[in-house]
Amino acid sequence: MDDGWWAPVLRPGFLRSAAPWRAAGYLLATGLTGLLLCAGLLVSLAAGGVLAALLVGLPLLAALALVGLPVAAWERRLARFLDGGRVPDPHRVPDRPGLGAWLRLRYRERATWRELGFTVLAAFVLWPVDLTLAGGALVVPAHLLAAVPLLLLDGEQVNVLKLWQVHSLGAAALCGLAGLALLPLLGHPLALVAAARAGLVRRLLGPGRQERRIGELVRSRARLVDAFEAERRRIERDLHDGAQQRLVALRMTLGLARLDAPPDGPLAARLTEAHREAGEVLAELRELINGIHPQVLTDRGLPEACADAADRSPVPVATRFALPGRLPAPVESAGYFAVTEALANIAKHSGAGTASVEGRYADGRLTIEVVDDGRGGADPGRGSGLTGLADRVAVVDGTLTVSSPPGGPTLVRVEIPCAPADGGESAR
């Protein structure tokens, strides 16, 4: 039960608010929904039974198993209308696009079968209760209140609730007073019944204990990823603004000292060696900073960052991207490091002469494909860099697939579900 709905029911000013009318409207809506469901399910089951007897009804019966999905979505929306509290959708997003992946996931989820059970309950058990209570709470007081106007229009008598006849204006006035007294008397029970039904919706159609734990694990993982990315960027900033600048200053000092030293003495040779070593350390530090988080990725996005990585690869690499603008930072970071790891593997192990990187966005999913014409035989199960790459992509709910038959070519595909961070078109 939703405690946030029970509390207003017990407040003194509850009857003066719109809450009782919302409760009556909620029960009327759920009752009418259940009535329509009852009729529709009876017709569908009868048709499905006849067709099944003709061995052609199995697809229809399988489709009936999914009827609970739209019904549950409608019930969650109605529960939000009642008290303003959102009922989370318990269903997970498929790992792959397409109807087949969606159907496989839905048939395996417990939430689908809970929703089907609730649909049957609403169609054959709950709707008579909903309509009876809502109708009684609205129709009976309204009919009693209408006794006086109806008597004045008729002039002789009025039939009240089809139970008794009223001939005098005094009796009609008493009926009207009874209707006024019934309104507050029925308001609280009606609201409590609506609250109980909404609580049933939240219990059966919201996330179960397992779904809540999975959701919390996903949110916890997202928080850890964000904290890791923030810490990595802090380290990159400190190295860039601190250690790198001090090395640049040291290299300049060594260069000036070398100019002041006697050109043929041992001191000049040592200063030259120190100047060269400082230059190599500075280059390595810049590579390290770029590996932590390249500035081009932050400033210009994934296509330009991958093009920069391709330019630095010893193997000729062609890049092509078609993206709807910038993507979320964790997605861009995961995609970039997936490309750099794949290019590093190509340079070290493939013996390839050329490679290509292609990225596109469609159906709410970023897809990046890295292809090379090397010898093939890459196996993520052998503990190569592809294993760490799969782990990195999984952090943002992405998937990694590798196709690398002996003799090549090798295809590394990364798919990450995401939404664009902004509008516009960018392609490279």
Side-chain angles (χ1 to χ4, degrees):
M1 211 71 62
D2 189 7
D3 295 337
W5 175 249
W6 280 91
V9 172
L10 303 178
R11 290 174 184 168
F14 173 76
L15 294 174
R16 295 192 299 271
S17 69
W21 301 105
R22 288 206 308 271
Y26 173 71
L27 290 177
L28 281 175
T30 56
L32 292 174
T33 300
L35 178 60
L36 294 174
L37 275 176
C38 182
L41 286 177
L42 288 176
V43 172
S44 300
L45 289 173
V50 172
L51 293 174
L54 300 175
L55 300 179
V56 294
L58 291 179
L60 177 61
L61 294 177
L64 285 176
L66 300 176
V67 74
L69 272 66
V71 174
W74 172 244
E75 287 281 353
R76 286 191 288 267
R77 184 176 292 273
L78 287 178
R80 186 172 184 177
F81 161 78
L82 178 66
D83 59 8
R86 178 177 174 271
V87 183
D89 190 338
H91 294 290
R92 293 185 289 124
V93 178
D95 293 334
R96 296 181 177 275
L99 180 61
W102 185 85
L103 288 174
R104 284 192 297 272
L105 179 61
R106 292 296 171 261
Y107 279 118
R108 292 171 181 172
E109 285 182 315
R110 294 181 180 178
T112 301
W113 304 105
R114 288 203 308 267
E115 291 173 351
L116 179 61
F118 180 87
T119 299
V120 174
L121 183 67
F124 298 107
V125 178
L126 296 180
W127 73 265
V129 178
D130 296 341
L131 286 183
T132 300
L133 290 174
L138 294 176
V139 173
V140 173
H143 205 199
L144 291 173
L145 288 170
V148 172
L150 290 175
L151 183 63
L152 292 176
L153 290 174
D154 186 85
E156 295 182 1
Q157 67 179 21
V158 63
N159 230 353
V160 178
L161 298 176
K162 305 294 183 181
L163 295 178
W164 64 86
Q165 294 180 343
V166 174
H167 299 275
S168 65
L169 191 61
L174 287 176
C175 289
L177 292 175
L180 286 175
L182 275 178
L183 279 175
L185 289 177
L186 295 177
H188 281 93
L190 186 69
L192 293 176
V193 170
R197 196 189 187 288
L200 183 64
V201 168
R202 295 180 185 280
R203 178 64 61 86
L204 294 181
L205 304 185
R209 180 178 301 176
Q210 183 177 3
E211 287 91 352
R212 286 195 297 269
R213 290 184 61 188
I214 293 174
E216 180 57 34
L217 287 174
V218 171
R219 289 189 293 271
S220 176
R221 185 176 66 177
R223 289 193 296 268
L224 288 174
V225 171
D226 291 341
F228 172 74
E229 288 293 330
E231 182 65 15
R232 190 167 65 175
R233 294 194 181 197
R234 184 191 66 78
I235 294 172
E236 181 267 338
R237 186 172 57 252
D238 290 345
L239 290 175
H240 184 275
D241 298 337
Q244 181 177 247
Q245 299 305 320
R246 293 178 66 181
L247 274 174
V248 170
L250 174 61
R251 194 162 184 262
M252 291 178 62
T253 302
L254 289 172
L256 293 174
R258 187 181 61 176
L259 293 176
D260 294 337
D264 298 329
L267 179 59
R270 292 175 183 174
L271 288 174
T272 300
E273 181 66 17
H275 186 267
R276 185 184 61 79
E277 289 286 346
E280 292 178 358
V281 172
L282 182 60
E284 291 180 3
L285 181 61
R286 284 172 177 164
E287 287 293 326
L288 176 62
I289 293 172
N290 194 67
I292 292 175
H293 193 88
Q295 192 63 33
V296 66
L297 180 62
T298 302
D299 294 341
R300 307 187 64 179
L302 182 60
E304 296 296 335
C306 290
D308 179 67
D311 291 339
R312 290 183 282 107
S313 173
V315 177
V317 180
T319 63
R320 177 178 176 81
F321 278 81
L323 304 180
R326 297 297 298 268
L327 300 176
V331 174
E332 288 191 337
S333 179
Y336 170 78
F337 286 108
V339 170
T340 56
E341 181 66 31
L343 293 181
N345 284 339
I346 291 173
K348 292 178 182 178
H349 308 297
S350 71
T354 60
S356 65
V357 178
E358 181 176 351
R360 59 187 178 273
Y361 181 86
D363 300 325
R365 187 176 296 268
L366 168 67
T367 302
I368 300 175
E369 294 181 347
V370 183
V371 182
D372 69 76
D373 60 358
R375 65 177 66 94
D379 183 8
R382 292 193 305 223
S384 65
L386 293 174
T387 303
L389 176 55
D391 294 338
R392 182 186 288 273
V393 171
V395 167
V396 287
D397 293 329
T399 57
L400 171 75
T401 55
V402 179
S403 173
S404 184
T410 296
L411 167 65
V412 176
R413 178 185 288 113
V414 173
E415 295 178 296
I416 305 175
C418 62
D422 58 17
E425 290 290 334
S426 67
R428 182 180 177 103

